[in-house]
Amino acid sequence: MFDDRTDAGERLAAELERRDLDIDVVLGIPRGALPVARPVADALAADLDVVVARKLGAPGNPELALGAVASDGSVWYNDDLITRIDVSEKYLEEVRAEEADNAREKAARYRETEGLPELEGKRVAVVDDGVATGATATACLRQVQESGAEWVGLAVPVGSPRAIDELERETDEVIAVQTPADFRAVGQYYRNFGQVTDEEAIAYLDRDG
């Protein structure tokens, strides 16, 4: 159990240090990952920035992830779910286009440009506050993988064992402090898991170590 996202970030940073990983850039997934990513970046003396993706919600159930799209258009689809609930190609294209626009707009709120910082030849850790389905993390990882980074890892305080296993195929290494067998939701592993506003998240980016 983590006290809050900052506590989770400090414990995640300790795990990364224990593994002696050399990280140049930490990318938090807004909004909730920024309080986690800040102590990670500070501990590793790495630059902190963001990578943005938006969930593709199912018809009538926007919290059910059909996939996710990153700000550069990188997309991941949950093909099994799409087939099971019989989602049309027309709906998928409409929601993909809408959420890609939203992702670009969100990225622009966090930095002057919509794209990623320069990552060519760098070692990059993508950080989130936890992984349930892995949809947004997958889209973010695919965007970072296309950036020319030398090494790309995913670091989270807690995650579903199934999602973590699937994400290992998307990246060089997945680091998770906890992968409980009875995982149900990220928030159950935090005593304080309140919403993070864009303004609060941006403040973590602006703060110098």
Side-chain angles (χ1 to χ4, degrees), residues 2-9 36 190-193:
F2 305 105
D3 290 336
D4 54 20
R5 288 180 175 89
T6 297
D7 175 50
V36 180
Y190 287 82
R191 292 186 180 88
N192 180 355
F193 196 63

Side-chain angles (χ1 to χ4, degrees), residues 2-179:
F2 305 105
D3 290 336
D4 54 20
R5 288 180 175 89
T6 297
D7 175 50
E10 290 169 352
R11 290 164 66 178
L12 181 58
E15 178 62 22
L16 289 163
E17 289 181 307
R18 186 186 69 79
R19 298 190 186 203
D20 197 26
L21 290 172
D22 181 20
I23 305 296
D24 300 307
V25 181
V26 172
L27 298 177
I29 303 175
R31 299 178 303 255
L34 270 299
V36 180
R38 179 79 265 176
V40 171
D42 290 348
L44 301 177
D47 294 335
L48 177 62
D49 212 299
V50 296
V51 56
V52 178
R54 295 276 298 186
K55 185 187 303 181
L56 306 180
N61 186 359
E63 291 305 309
L64 181 62
L66 300 175
V69 61
S71 59
D72 73 333
S74 298
V75 66
W76 170 78
Y77 291 116
N78 185 335
D79 293 324
D80 290 342
L81 178 60
I82 289 168
T83 300
R84 189 164 71 247
I85 65 176
D86 194 24
V87 179
S88 70
E89 289 187 12
K90 180 175 183 291
Y91 175 85
L92 278 177
E93 177 53 30
E94 288 174 351
V95 72
R96 185 208 61 77
E98 178 182 356
E99 294 300 351
D101 286 343
N102 290 337
R104 284 190 290 271
E105 290 172 7
K106 187 169 189 175
R109 286 203 299 272
Y110 280 77
R111 68 165 79 86
E112 293 180 358
T113 61
E114 297 172 0
L116 292 171
E118 177 56 53
L119 300 176
E120 182 78 32
K122 294 185 178 180
R123 296 175 60 84
V124 181
V126 175
V127 172
D128 206 352
D129 55 10
V131 169
T133 66
T136 53
T138 300
C140 289
L141 287 167
R142 290 186 178 183
Q143 180 178 7
V144 177
Q145 294 281 16
E146 293 296 318
S147 70
E150 175 187 316
W151 180 93
V152 181
L154 175 69
V156 294
V158 62
S160 151
R162 178 177 178 179
I164 293 295
D165 182 60
E166 292 174 351
L167 285 161
E168 286 176 344
R169 296 193 286 271
E170 297 286 341
T171 189
D172 294 303
E173 187 171 352
V174 177
I175 301 94
V177 178
Q178 298 178 8
T179 55

